[in-house]
Amino acid sequence: MNMNSKTRFPIAGAALTFIATVHTIMGVVLLSVSDQDIELSFWFTTFGVVGIGLGLAMIELERARGFVPGSVLIVLAVTVVFGLVFEPVSGFITLLVPLGAGALGWWRARAQQPTSA
C-alpha cells in the first residue's frame, strides 16, 4: 500500500538530521574554543556533516515512499553497532532513536502490503 507520506512527518530522517546537526555544531565549537586534537575535531565534524546528508536523504525517502527502506536502515544499524563497539559511552546511542523510528515505519509499511496469492 502506498502511503500519502506528504501528510506524515518524516520522523526518522528528521531525528537523524537534528542529531547530526548538533554533532557538527559541537565539533566546530570544540575546534574553535579548545585545545582539542585537530584530528578528533575533524572526524567529529565530518561524521556530523555525513550524518546530516544521510538524514536529509532519509527525509526524502520517507516522503517519497512513506518509510525508510531496509537497506538504508541496515547502513544506519551497522554505523550504530560499529560506533558503540568502539565508543560505548558516546553519542552513538542517540542514533537508536532514528533507527527505531525508521524500523517501525518500515515494519508498518511491510505489514500493510497486500499479500499476493
Side-chain angles (χ1 to χ4, degrees), residues 8 10 23 25 36 42-43 54 63-64 68 71 75 90 107 114:
R8 296 185 56 225
H23 197 270
I25 291 168
Q36 185 137 354
F42 168 79
W43 286 110
L54 180 57
R63 287 182 176 154
V68 179
S71 57
V75 169
S90 70
W107 180 77

Side-chain angles (χ1 to χ4, degrees), residues 53-106:
L54 180 57
L56 293 173
M58 286 172 59
I59 287 171
E60 290 299 318
L61 287 166
E62 282 180 286
R63 287 182 176 154
R65 296 182 176 205
F67 62 94
V68 179
S71 57
V72 175
L73 294 173
I74 289 170
V75 169
L76 184 56
V78 168
T79 303
V80 170
V81 169
F82 183 77
L84 290 175
V85 165
F86 287 97
E87 292 289 335
V89 181
S90 70
F92 279 102
I93 195 96
T94 63
L95 296 180
L96 292 173
V97 173
L99 180 60
L104 183 61
W106 176 84

